[in-house]
Amino acid sequence: MESNTVHDGLPDSDSPDLQLTQATPGECAKIWTDTSASWRDSLPVATYLEEQLCLSKVPLAARGGMIMWILVEKNIPPNCRRIFCSCESFHKRSLMTDTDGKVEDVIVYGIASVFCPVDYRRRGYAARHMKELAKTLRNWQSHQARVVGSVLYSDIGKAYYAKFGWKPHASNWHLEFPPVNTPKLSMAQELVQDDLGGICRRDEAVIRAAMAKPTHSGNKLVTILPDLDHMLWHIGKEDFATKYLFGQTPRAKGAIAGLPGHRAWAIWTHRYYMHPNEEAADNVLYILRLVVEGDDSANRLLSRENNKCFWGTEPQSQIESLIAVLQHAQAEAAEWQLNHVKLWEPTPWVQDVIRKSNISHRIVEREEDSVACCLWYVDDSGHEAAPVWINNEHYAWC
């Protein structure tokens, strides 16, 4: 079959001569160069290219964990072909549970860095790319576990990706705290990188136990696991930025307070979108994951509008531990010249504690940027409902 073409010699977006395939290392380098103006943040281009190569080798991305997908012409050799659109996919270990509490290890893919070069825009290539990607990922690496869906974080609002099946998550909001230049409270201790493996394993065990409890919502639940691989990917980005800007990397990867079984902890990352000396700098300490042991409102399907008051359902020591950890984060942000601390979608109990404390904060609804969107693979009968994604927190962002 001959390709349909437009007058300028580019293939039509519905041409059978187009295919979705994996990029070569050389094509990855070209894509990173082309996208650097959009995503290099505070880094010079050369350092950004080093960062991208390094991030392709961390555990989350290594051994096929991250794939660079490209839309190209079938009959043009690799490294010679035009790249009409590109994106990355990340293999994310996840859990799904049914209403009876039967837990299944599954795969959810994270989609990132969707990019169409300027010369190829408004021709339908991005739409073709996303449609092909949805079909390809359905069975990608399914010999390892069942693929139940994919998520992406839209910076162009809620409507575009919804046309191809990635519907906006039911909620996209976060709490924002100011940095506070005060001494860190002694009851909260720093978490260093060597601490994270044990903390993440403990967190996963609690999540599995919570999801094994039967629910009465009538919905299957799915969560992306906040494992060490996710944390190290974020830390990898942090390391490149802080080494370039300050000549050193932060020691603290989070904070923890309280006694075992009643602890609160946060794991965070420092993100520099601009040099901190720039007047328009809007840099962030993102809390990747916040946990309070014994928080019964965690790892569950709970509505913001219908949640009950959880204040007082945990000992006062846990409330104090949580506040100490949050204040530690604010002090860390001030120390590292970050403009905000952001915490995505804390549990109802945590919301209640923060609301009744004296910690200054505001609620931000995300309508245009970092909008979590999800596509779920359900059977073709139309009788299977899509699962509900819980723990929409920043660790899963990519």
Side-chain angles (χ1 to χ4, degrees):
M1 179 181 292
E2 294 184 355
S3 170
N4 297 319
T5 59
V6 292
H7 294 300
D8 56 11
L10 291 173
D12 205 53
S13 62
D14 63 359
S15 169
D17 290 340
L18 294 179
Q19 68 171 352
L20 187 77
T21 190
Q22 297 181 45
T24 67
E27 288 168 330
C28 287
K30 180 183 185 326
I31 291 166
W32 295 333
T33 301
D34 291 346
T35 61
S36 62
S38 299
W39 294 318
R40 64 184 175 89
D41 292 351
S42 57
L43 300 178
V45 174
T47 307
Y48 172 73
L49 297 179
E50 291 178 23
E51 176 200 62
Q52 292 303 297
L53 182 60
C54 181
L55 290 177
S56 71
K57 299 176 182 178
V58 299
L60 186 68
R63 299 179 299 279
M66 187 276 280
I67 301 292
M68 181 75 81
W69 298 99
I70 54 177
L71 185 71
V72 295
E73 293 161 291
K74 291 179 180 178
N75 300 321
I76 307 298
N79 301 315
C80 299
R81 51 199 177 185
R82 295 174 291 191
I83 300 172
F84 300 113
C85 191
S86 61
C87 75
E88 300 163 337
S89 68
F90 289 86
H91 177 130
K92 294 175 176 285
R93 289 196 311 122
S94 305
L95 299 178
M96 177 179 279
T97 185
D98 61 18
T99 56
D100 295 324
K102 181 181 177 182
V103 179
E104 179 185 3
D105 285 83
V106 297
I107 298 170
V108 172
Y109 283 103
I111 299 168
S113 307
V114 179
F115 184 80
C116 184
V118 173
D119 290 345
Y120 303 143
R121 291 178 187 172
R122 300 188 182 280
R123 299 174 181 270
Y125 292 135
R128 172 72 180 272
H129 182 98
M130 298 309 293
K131 291 174 183 177
E132 296 289 340
L133 184 69
K135 292 186 289 185
T136 299
L137 291 182
R138 182 161 197 157
N139 294 302
W140 189 252
Q141 298 173 328
S142 58
H143 62 283
Q144 299 180 26
R146 184 162 67 101
V147 180
V148 298
S150 60
V151 300
L152 58 80
Y153 298 84
S154 172
D155 288 332
I156 54 174
K158 299 179 178 180
Y160 181 76
Y161 292 107
K163 294 186 293 186
F164 314 115
W166 283 273
K167 306 296 184 183
H169 190 270
S171 60
N172 279 283
W173 64 279
H174 60 264
L175 299 182
E176 186 175 286
F177 307 88
V180 179
N181 192 12
T182 59
K184 296 172 181 176
L185 298 179
S186 59
M187 70 177 296
Q189 305 299 315
E190 289 182 346
L191 288 173
V192 299
Q193 189 162 325
D194 287 345
D195 297 325
L196 299 185
I199 286 290
C200 290
R201 288 191 294 272
R202 166 63 179 161
D203 192 9
E204 180 175 335
V206 171
I207 292 171
R208 286 181 179 275
M211 293 189 72
K213 296 177 181 178
T215 68
H216 304 290
S217 65
N219 298 105
K220 291 183 178 180
L221 304 180
V222 64
T223 189
I224 296 169
L225 286 169
D227 57 20
L228 180 61
D229 288 357
H230 277 88
M231 308 309 169
L232 293 180
W233 184 81
H234 287 280
I235 289 170
K237 289 185 68 67
E238 170 186 277
D239 284 351
F240 266 86
T242 53
K243 282 180 184 176
Y244 171 71
L245 293 169
F246 307 109
Q248 60 181 327
T249 60
R251 169 181 165 82
K253 308 305 181 186
I256 189 168
L259 298 174
H262 302 277
R263 296 173 295 182
W265 69 75
I267 301 173
W268 57 55
T269 190
H270 306 64
R271 184 71 185 270
Y272 293 90
Y273 296 101
M274 297 181 179
H275 194 288
N277 292 339
E278 292 190 33
E279 185 176 348
D282 195 30
N283 301 320
V284 180
L285 184 85
Y286 283 106
I287 295 179
L288 300 174
R289 175 73 171 158
L290 177 69
V291 175
V292 180
E293 292 179 318
D295 177 1
D296 289 336
S297 70
N299 307 308
R300 296 171 55 191
L301 177 59
L302 290 164
S303 165
R304 287 171 66 194
E305 291 75 17
N306 298 323
N307 67 34
K308 62 180 180 179
C309 176
F310 289 89
W311 181 269
T313 61
E314 303 297 340
Q316 182 66 25
S317 62
Q318 276 155 292
I319 295 173
E320 293 171 354
S321 294
L322 170 61
I323 293 173
V325 165
L326 292 174
Q327 290 177 338
H328 203 97
Q330 291 179 286
E332 179 78 8
E335 179 181 344
W336 284 87
Q337 301 178 54
L338 294 162
N339 304 91
H340 314 281
V341 176
K342 293 185 180 182
L343 170 61
W344 283 21
E345 305 200 13
T347 70
W349 185 83
V350 170
Q351 293 174 55
D352 211 33
V353 171
I354 292 170
R355 186 167 54 247
K356 295 186 177 181
S357 73
N358 61 357
I359 300 178
S360 175
H361 67 281
R362 70 186 185 109
I363 299 173
V364 179
E365 300 281 350
R366 298 191 305 278
E367 297 289 342
E368 295 296 329
D369 63 285
S370 293
V371 176
C373 304
C374 34
L375 179 153
W376 304 116
Y377 298 124
V378 296
D379 64 34
D380 297 328
S381 68
H383 301 301
E384 183 183 6
V388 176
W389 176 15
I390 62 171
N391 298 337
N392 175 23
E393 300 176 43
H394 198 75
Y395 67 86
W397 177 92
C398 56

